[in-house]
Amino acid sequence: MKTKPDTFTEKLRLNIVRHKIQSMCKQKYHKEQNDPNGYDVQASCVAIADYESIALQIEASTAEAFLNVLAEKTEYAQQHCAFPGEFNGGKATYGSLQSDLQYWYEHKLNNYSFTDLLMIASYHRLLQAFKK
């Protein structure tokens, strides 16, 4: 059962974090695919897809709770993954995605005002409307 966010601001934050994960994974995936010097591309791409899948399955009422659960699940996945590849780039990819998201949350999202959050969420909605 889904729990509801305490405030509208927290709901905006949670939705923005979810959208950030999706866009971050998409960017990282394309970067990995197009990097001629990349190592263990297959394992990295599998880790990116797995990270996004883990994130989409998490139910939380606040962005902070969501990120805490995601960090726990990511750490577990990172420690127990068995991807094909010589260098095991999948493990590094989990850590990279998680640290990028944590940095963005602490240094960007926490500094946004309510108006900023509302504008970002409205922009995401507008983009989704044109995709359909």
Side-chain angles (χ1 to χ4, degrees):
M1 182 172 148
K2 282 189 175 181
T3 56
K4 293 186 179 181
D6 298 332
T7 64
F8 185 64
T9 304
E10 194 53 47
K11 184 175 182 179
L12 288 173
R13 283 186 135 148
L14 184 58
N15 286 334
I16 291 169
V17 167
R18 288 182 184 276
H19 185 271
K20 177 66 176 177
I21 290 170
Q22 290 176 326
S23 63
M24 186 176 69
C25 288
K26 182 187 265 185
Q27 289 171 352
K28 182 91 168 165
Y29 185 83
H30 289 297
K31 182 182 174 201
E32 288 291 330
Q33 287 289 321
N34 297 318
D35 185 5
N37 299 323
Y39 69 93
D40 232 356
V41 174
Q42 180 183 6
S44 295
C45 290
V46 170
I48 293 166
D50 188 45
Y51 183 84
E52 186 174 11
S53 174
I54 290 168
L56 291 173
Q57 295 175 21
I58 296 173
E59 298 294 334
S61 59
T62 66
E64 191 170 335
F66 175 85
L67 291 172
N68 289 338
V69 172
L70 181 60
E72 289 173 16
K73 291 186 178 216
T74 300
E75 185 178 333
Y76 180 84
Q78 186 177 23
Q79 291 174 357
H80 295 91
C81 70
F83 293 123
E86 183 180 344
F87 301 106
N88 212 349
K91 287 187 178 191
T93 302
Y94 279 117
S96 172
L97 288 167
Q98 188 61 31
S99 65
D100 289 351
L101 182 65
Q102 195 65 36
Y103 180 86
W104 172 81
Y105 178 76
E106 292 173 2
H107 294 92
K108 300 280 185 170
L109 187 65
N110 280 341
N111 295 322
Y112 291 153
S113 68
F114 174 76
T115 307
D116 294 335
L117 295 171
L118 195 56
M119 288 177 15
I120 293 167
S122 298
Y123 176 73
H124 293 165
R125 281 289 190 142
L126 185 66
L127 287 178
Q128 286 177 345
F130 282 114
K131 286 182 181 179
K132 292 180 180 180

